[in-house]
Amino acid sequence: MLTSYEMATAEIFDEAGIPVLLVGDSAGNNFLGEANTIPVTVDELIPLTRAVSRSVKQALVVADLPFGSYESGPELALATSLRFFKEAGAHAVKLEGAHTESIKKLVSSGIPVMGHIGLTPQSVHQLGGYKVQGRDNPEALISAAKSIEAAGAFAVVLEMVVADLATEITNQLTIPTIGIGSGNGTDAQVLVWNDAFGLTKNPPKFARKYRNLRTELLGGAKEFADDVANGNFPSDLETFR
């Protein structure tokens, strides 16, 4: 699974055979210029989700429910999810934490749900920062994962969970686990695409850089500026006569 926030990456990742695309509230600090995911709104994520869902032919498009759009209970979670389905064409939604009653409500209403435990970015202030999870109270995470599965979620993200615990959770569940910074014992992996392809200045430890697009874009932009300044663009090849 990779994140995607617009048409171009959605088309490319879908063509590459990535089976799941996440329109994450990670758009906040990777697309919208925010410091973290907390300020992201439903109204901001819906057009991003719509762009991604319109641009894929095969991938499952999962939309994050942003902070404040589901925590007060199942009815709000359903109302928010319906907007993502009806206005944006999402195929599933993801919410953070063991909100089991909301998960049950969504699933019973025909909305597939992906869970998310461990480091939950919407709770970063409550957790005291971006810290590895599961060292102090592993049973709490195991219990949360089991309750999310029992509520009807079709998969669960394990973020920055110590590797041995992530593997143990994976072994105890029947639904797939999707790891991010949680070792290779999970069923699948997810990365923020900006981290994976070198756009992020200071990517997290768990992100492997598969390309360095920041360097490529920087170099290309400088070449363009120089060509314009020197009168080398447009040339006769780019000019109509």
Side-chain angles (χ1 to χ4, degrees):
M1 183 163 76
L2 286 170
T3 64
S4 179
Y5 313 114
E6 35 63 51
M7 179 183 72
T9 54
E11 287 182 344
I12 292 167
F13 299 157
D14 186 55
E15 184 179 344
I18 302 298
V20 186
L21 297 183
L22 172 65
V23 188
D25 57 2
S26 53
N29 49 315
N30 289 282
F31 193 75
L32 298 172
E34 303 287 0
N36 52 48
T37 67
I38 294 172
V40 177
T41 67
V42 172
D43 287 338
E44 288 174 327
L45 278 189
I46 281 181
L48 306 188
T49 305
R50 185 164 55 234
V52 172
S53 63
R54 286 175 172 175
S55 303
V56 301
K57 295 180 179 179
Q58 302 178 74
L60 178 76
V61 178
V62 181
D64 259 337
L65 299 189
F67 182 65
S69 71
Y70 62 94
E71 288 88 345
S72 67
E75 294 302 326
L76 179 60
L78 178 59
T80 302
S81 299
L82 287 174
R83 288 196 63 193
F84 276 103
F85 266 58
K86 294 174 72 67
E87 298 177 36
H91 306 140
V93 299
K94 180 172 74 66
L95 52 83
E96 296 183 5
H99 295 274
T100 55
E101 293 306 311
S102 292
I103 295 172
K104 291 176 183 177
K105 180 71 172 180
L106 295 178
V107 172
S108 68
S109 301
I111 297 175
V113 177
M114 178 180 288
H116 184 157
I117 60 173
L119 189 285
T120 45
Q122 294 175 10
S123 304
V124 64
H125 298 315
Q126 185 181 46
L127 295 172
Y130 295 94
K131 299 178 179 179
V132 175
Q133 303 295 304
R135 287 174 173 154
D136 298 329
N137 190 6
E139 291 302 322
L141 282 181
I142 294 173
S143 177
K146 288 182 174 179
S147 68
I148 287 170
E149 178 180 56
F154 70 89
V156 60
V157 172
L158 306 179
E159 181 165 357
M160 288 182 66
V161 174
V162 289
D164 289 346
L165 178 58
T167 300
E168 178 63 22
I169 291 172
T170 300
N171 290 338
Q172 292 200 32
L173 299 185
T174 57
I175 61 173
T177 58
I178 304 170
I180 178 166
S182 298
N184 63 2
T186 56
D187 296 305
Q189 299 290 332
V190 59
L191 283 176
V192 171
W193 87 265
N194 310 59
D195 296 339
F197 302 116
L199 283 183
T200 307
K201 282 185 177 180
N202 299 300
K205 175 184 176 179
F206 56 72
R208 179 178 296 179
K209 186 187 294 184
Y210 285 89
R211 294 291 187 276
N212 195 337
L213 296 187
R214 189 177 191 89
T215 297
E216 289 296 313
L217 288 171
L218 182 62
K222 287 181 176 179
E223 287 179 27
F224 168 67
D226 289 344
D227 281 348
V228 173
N230 296 328
N232 294 325
F233 178 83
S235 69
D236 284 343
L237 290 174
E238 295 98 13
T239 302
F240 298 99
R241 301 294 183 185

